[in-house]
Amino acid sequence: MTLAGKTCVVLGAGGFIGVNVCAALTAAGASVRGFGRRPRFAAAPRVDDWIEAEFGDNAALGDALRGATHVIHLLGGSNPVIHNAAPVNEVTANIIPSVGLLEACRAEGVSRVVFLSSGGTVYGPNAPVPTGEGALTDPISAYGIGKLAVEKYLGLFHYLHALDYRVLRVANPFGPYQVSGRGQGFIAQAMQRAIDDRPIEIWGDGSVVRDFIYIDDVAEAVVCSVADTGDARLFNIGSGKGRSLLEVIAAIGEVVGRSPIVNFRSARAADIPVSVLDIERARHRLGWAPKSDWTQSLISTRDWLLANPVARSQL
Amino acid sequence: MTLAGKTCVVLGAGGFIGVNVCAALTAAGASVRGFGRRPRFAAAPRVDDWIEAEFGDNAALGDALRGATHVIHLLGGSNPVIHNAAPVNEVTANIIPSVGLLEACRAEGVSRVVFLSSGGTVYGPNAPVPTGEGALTDPISAYGIGKLAVEKYLGLFHYLHALDYRVLRVANPFGPYQVSGRGQGFIAQAMQRAIDDRPIEIWGDGSVVRDFIYIDDVAEAVVCSVADTGDARLFNIGSGKGRSLLEVIAAIGEVVGRSPIVNFRSARAADIPVSVLDIERARHRLGWAPKSDWTQSLISTRDWLLANPVARSQL
């Protein structure tokens, strides 16, 4: 697949997903412009151009979008748990600047916005498993409501102004450049703690099931979404397989070569017991499928953490 | 049905729906406190207490909610068309103060919020007809997105804080106290123009079908939602019948006693061709059904407009 001739602005290019998406877009031949805070890892893949600004800085955003054909929107909150304490923060930090972004895309003549939504939070606890895109959306986090609202504004701008879009409802991504100590990035956190021989903290009894997807597969879904010529716009992006936290911890133990210690903490209200996405639509209509091997993905994650000790201090 | 012992705060008590809801709640035995701008009609039914303030004035809101058991949330934008020109206004004028309202309800120990959502805008143009509550929600107006977002925050506060709620997705209400010249309140506008022998302006060719529901039936649904002890929380509230604008104009002509003149204007982007709600869930689980006779409802609407010439200047 070639993206030659396409100019992609990646919002949030310096973050975990952003760094990986920029690398994949560049590899596919796109011209890539980063927007946001710079990556904290010196070895992160370079992009052709960079605009360092905060989301909500509409002047900087207008500059960034000039001449762009595609916008990859990765910004907007990072934590499903924290925002529940003050739900209005999600509105001001995410929904409002996202609407501003769509206005700017329209003004600058961008042809398509690819938005990374959250397959793990938009559906809510009563969704069928695996969860298809047609399931009801009843989020139990302000984070999920924010993602859902941005999806709806994308639909509105498409309807009113023919601004094209793709929404990717991504499951739980993991892999190189993921750094987290705030309740997200379970695999990064657990892997680092296993390496350090420190206890892994989990909420609940470890039976919670998630759909962990390697970041290369997510980045490839973004590339497919830029190139896509179909008429479907909303896609689940997951691994196609659910794994309990205990299964993941056991697999990490195998990869690290020791049995991790686990501290069990009480379950969190924002946690859904089982979240696994149905990815048939993406397989058939986006021409995408997850390709990564589970164990090899864990090994790559381990190797990156070992090579980047700066990540350790964040965990 | 008696609401004795219940203290209901009605937000937006001075508006078309609010005046009628206050009357129905009072008749059912509730103690009623109004919040918002006062009704512009001196003959409007009185409530027990009134707090005159703008939505978003959280101090006034806290005062209004003290000791309340139920909150009826009728506020939040009035026009599906206008907000599409500046979608962010819907966020700041509706979503943010609604989240503030839920925080205040939680702080004051309110037991239930009844929210009037919009059955005509939350589903979008591709919904099956008649539209059930399980249909996908793809609004084509910022107004509809705002209503949907507030629904989701209600679900969140229920999940996190056990703040109970009912959502009523109301079709197109009409009847006494409806005054509109801004693209809403089609029946009020058309009736007044027919009375005045002025042309009725319609968008499109008049084949657009809507689900017009008499305001007494809507007010009764609110009373049922305050009293409800079931476990369903989301209900469509409609007449159960679709009527084209041309059918409505013909019926208005019968009631007014002359053939209305019609000016056809080009269709609006925010208009869905057909919107009719499936109301079986409300029939079976809320113990509610529309009772009003169509022609008698139009006669009551006509009589109110004739008795309130001040309304005429607004049209």
Side-chain angles (χ1 to χ4, degrees), chain B residues 294-308:
Chain B
W294 168 242
T295 302
Q296 187 53 51
S297 299
L298 290 177
I299 290 170
S300 301
T301 303
R302 177 200 67 192
D303 291 348
W304 184 84
L305 285 169
L306 290 171
N308 288 274

Side-chain angles (χ1 to χ4, degrees), chain B residues 58-305:
Chain B
N58 287 336
L61 195 60
D63 289 343
L65 298 185
R66 205 137 300 140
T69 57
H70 291 71
V71 167
I72 321 299
H73 178 8
L74 309 174
L75 288 168
S78 63
N79 195 310
V81 176
I82 288 176
H83 276 167
N84 276 353
V88 83
N89 289 353
E90 180 68 28
V91 183
T92 50
N94 178 12
I95 300 178
I96 289 178
S98 291
V99 174
L101 167 66
L102 299 187
E103 298 279 17
C105 287
R106 185 187 159 205
E108 296 295 337
V110 167
S111 61
R112 182 180 294 171
V113 177
V114 177
F115 175 59
L116 263 68
S117 181
S118 164
T121 65
V122 297
Y123 295 110
N126 299 318
V129 175
T131 309
E133 291 87 350
L136 288 177
T137 47
D138 294 310
I140 55 169
S141 63
Y143 176 86
I145 296 175
K147 290 287 188 187
L148 195 58
V150 175
E151 291 186 8
K152 301 302 177 189
Y153 284 109
L154 284 163
L156 178 65
F157 274 70
H158 177 243
Y159 182 84
L160 293 178
H161 309 301
L163 174 62
D164 200 8
Y165 71 95
R166 295 295 181 275
V167 167
L168 303 181
R169 289 180 173 168
V170 177
N172 295 71
F174 72 98
Y177 297 96
Q178 187 172 42
V179 175
S180 172
R182 298 179 301 161
Q184 274 208 304
F186 175 73
I187 288 182
Q189 187 181 59
M191 181 78 80
Q192 185 67 59
R193 286 171 175 257
I195 290 169
D196 295 346
D197 221 6
R198 287 188 294 153
I200 297 170
E201 301 207 323
I202 65 175
W203 283 266
D205 63 2
S207 65
V208 159
V209 170
R210 288 289 176 273
D211 180 342
F212 292 99
I213 179 168
Y214 191 54
I215 189 62
D216 284 3
D217 290 325
V218 176
E220 183 61 21
V222 172
V223 170
C224 290
S225 298
V226 170
D228 185 38
T229 56
D231 57 5
R233 293 191 168 80
L234 171 65
F235 300 100
N236 283 341
I237 300 297
S239 70
K241 184 168 164 48
R243 291 181 169 90
S244 74
L245 299 190
L246 291 180
E247 277 178 78
V248 172
I249 289 170
I252 286 173
E254 292 287 325
V255 163
V256 172
R258 61 167 69 94
S259 275
I261 314 152
V262 181
N263 276 355
F264 295 90
R265 299 176 56 174
S266 55
R268 299 180 300 185
D271 276 334
I272 294 168
V274 180
S275 172
V276 183
L277 300 179
D278 180 330
I279 56 174
E280 289 310 300
R281 186 189 288 179
R283 282 186 198 275
H284 294 113
R285 302 188 64 184
L286 188 60
W288 169 90
K291 293 177 191 149
S292 300
D293 174 74
W294 168 242
T295 302
Q296 187 53 51
S297 299
L298 290 177
I299 290 170
S300 301
T301 303
R302 177 200 67 192
D303 291 348
W304 184 84
L305 285 169

Side-chain angles (χ1 to χ4, degrees), chain A:
Chain A
M1 184 169 316
T2 175
L3 300 183
K6 295 188 164 59
T7 299
C8 300
V9 175
V10 179
L11 306 180
F16 158 48
I17 298 176
V19 165
N20 288 283
V21 162
C22 285
L25 289 169
T26 301
S31 170
V32 179
R33 195 178 295 160
F35 181 94
R37 299 179 197 162
R38 287 183 182 274
R40 58 182 115 184
F41 302 103
R46 300 300 171 105
V47 299
D48 302 305
D49 194 8
W50 194 278
I51 291 174
E52 195 163 355
E54 296 287 320
F55 197 32
D57 178 345
N58 287 336
L61 195 60
D63 289 344
L65 299 185
R66 205 138 300 140
T69 57
H70 291 71
V71 168
I72 321 299
H73 178 10
L74 308 174
L75 288 168
S78 63
N79 195 309
V81 176
I82 288 175
H83 276 167
N84 276 353
V88 83
N89 290 353
E90 180 70 27
V91 183
T92 49
N94 178 12
I95 300 178
I96 289 178
S98 292
V99 174
L101 167 66
L102 300 186
E103 298 280 15
C105 287
R106 184 187 160 204
E108 295 296 336
V110 167
S111 61
R112 181 180 295 173
V113 178
V114 177
F115 174 59
L116 262 68
S117 182
S118 165
T121 65
V122 298
Y123 294 111
N126 299 317
V129 176
T131 309
E133 292 87 349
L136 288 177
T137 48
D138 293 308
I140 55 169
S141 63
Y143 176 87
I145 295 175
K147 290 287 189 187
L148 196 59
V150 175
E151 291 185 7
K152 302 302 176 189
Y153 284 109
L154 284 162
L156 178 65
F157 274 71
H158 178 243
Y159 182 84
L160 293 178
H161 309 300
L163 174 61
D164 200 8
Y165 72 94
R166 295 293 183 275
V167 167
L168 303 181
R169 288 180 173 169
V170 177
N172 294 70
F174 72 97
Y177 297 96
Q178 187 173 42
V179 175
S180 171
R182 299 179 301 162
Q184 274 207 303
F186 175 73
I187 288 182
Q189 187 183 58
M191 182 78 82
Q192 185 66 60
R193 285 171 175 256
I195 290 170
D196 295 345
D197 220 6
R198 287 189 294 153
I200 297 170
E201 300 207 324
I202 64 175
W203 283 265
D205 62 3
S207 65
V208 159
V209 169
R210 289 290 176 273
D211 180 343
F212 292 100
I213 179 170
Y214 192 55
I215 189 63
D216 285 4
D217 290 326
V218 176
E220 183 61 22
V222 172
V223 170
C224 290
S225 298
V226 170
D228 186 37
T229 56
D231 58 6
R233 293 190 169 80
L234 171 66
F235 300 100
N236 282 342
I237 301 296
S239 69
K241 184 167 163 49
R243 290 181 170 90
S244 74
L245 299 190
L246 291 180
E247 276 178 78
V248 172
I249 289 170
I252 286 173
E254 294 284 327
V255 164
V256 172
R258 62 167 70 95
S259 273
I261 314 153
V262 181
N263 276 354
F264 295 90
R265 299 175 57 173
S266 55
R268 299 180 299 186
D271 275 336
I272 293 169
V274 180
S275 173
V276 182
L277 301 179
D278 180 331
I279 57 174
E280 290 311 299
R281 186 189 289 179
R283 281 185 198 275
H284 293 114
R285 302 187 65 183
L286 188 60
W288 168 91
K291 292 176 193 151
S292 300
D293 174 72
W294 169 240
T295 303
Q296 187 54 51
S297 299
L298 290 178
I299 290 170
S300 301
T301 303
R302 177 200 67 191
D303 291 348
W304 185 84
L305 284 169
L306 289 171
N308 288 274
V310 66
R312 190 169 310 196
S313 64
Q314 311 285 337
L315 295 170

